[in-house]
Every structure is written in structure tokens, then in C-alpha cells.
Amino acid sequence: SLLLEAHGMSCRDAQAEAATLVNISVCLFSQELVADSLRYLDLVAHTQRTAPADVDPARRTCVFLAERHLNQCAAYFASREPRRALFHAQSATFHAQQQLKHYFKTRLPECFRHEALIVLALCYHAVAVAL
């Protein structure tokens, strides 16, 4: 319920809302509520598609997309749907690569690039597991 309160407060900021929804989905997944977890990840996808125009388009296309797809991969893998898991693992890899390119172009602090590299490594691992 604390995460639901956080979601209520984050609705004013698309990026904060996406992060909160991902956290809720992870919480549900950890409680073996896979279908509910996937529903929250679908809400993340909707939030990302409807992000306000003032969000930098390059940033809007990559922020939390890799993370969302990684979580969808895990949920579909747990649901014994390997083809869907592989699709989301590959999608996560694509978006993680885009995110990393964006971070190098904008010369953000090293910590952002380091985190993006970790996400990319997780994506490669997810693809290998899904195969």
C-alpha cells in the first residue's frame, strides 16, 4: 500500500510514475503475482507512450524501457512463455543500447553510464537465459 501511495504522488511526473509502476510490478512479481505484475508493466508502457511533449524525446524513448522489458521477460519466463520472454529480452537489449548511446552523447556523469552498462549486461544475460 505504501507503493500505491507513492504512485499517487508520482502521477505528476511521467518518469517518476514509470519508476514507481516498475517497482510495484517487481513487488507483485516477488509475491508470485505474475499476472498482476504484467498488468502494472502494461501501465508503464502506457505511461511511456503518453509522456508529456516537454520530456526530451531521446530521453523519453529509453528511460525505463529496458527495465520494463527486463521485468516483462522475467514474468513471461516465469509463466513458461519463452518466446515472449525472448522478445522482451531482445527489446530490453535494444533499449539499453539506445540509453547507453544517449548517455555518451550527452556527456552525463560516469555513474549514469556505469548504471546503463549494468542494465545492458543484464539484458544480454536475459537473452542468453531465454534462448
Side-chain angles (χ1 to χ4, degrees):
S1 70
L2 186 59
L3 281 173
L4 294 177
E5 285 182 41
H7 176 244
M9 292 187 293
S10 69
C11 286
R12 295 175 208 90
D13 179 328
Q15 292 174 357
E17 182 178 20
T20 303
L21 290 170
V22 166
N23 288 334
I24 292 170
S25 75
V26 169
C27 182
L28 291 168
F29 182 80
S30 71
Q31 296 173 11
E32 297 181 9
L33 300 169
V34 177
D36 292 328
S37 175
L38 284 167
R39 277 195 286 280
Y40 273 91
L41 291 169
D42 287 342
L43 287 173
V44 176
H46 174 74
T47 299
Q48 289 166 328
R49 282 191 304 271
T50 59
D54 63 337
V55 174
D56 174 13
R59 191 158 156 67
R60 178 178 43 201
T61 59
C62 60
V63 173
F64 299 115
L65 282 174
E67 292 86 344
R68 173 175 58 90
H69 282 291
L70 274 174
N71 284 302
Q72 286 173 304
C73 172
Y76 284 119
F77 196 75
S79 299
R80 302 196 190 290
E81 296 184 53
R83 286 181 185 257
R84 291 180 94 173
L86 180 58
F87 168 80
H88 286 288
Q90 291 170 326
S91 296
T93 302
F94 171 78
H95 290 296
Q97 290 168 340
Q98 296 303 309
Q99 188 173 18
L100 192 57
K101 282 187 215 175
H102 172 72
Y103 287 163
F104 274 101
K105 285 180 185 174
T106 57
R107 301 196 191 285
L108 287 171
E110 185 68 29
C111 62
F112 287 99
R113 285 179 267 172
H114 181 72
E115 182 179 333
L117 282 170
I118 291 170
V119 170
L120 184 58
L122 289 169
C123 293
Y124 287 136
H125 174 75
V127 168
V129 168
L131 288 173

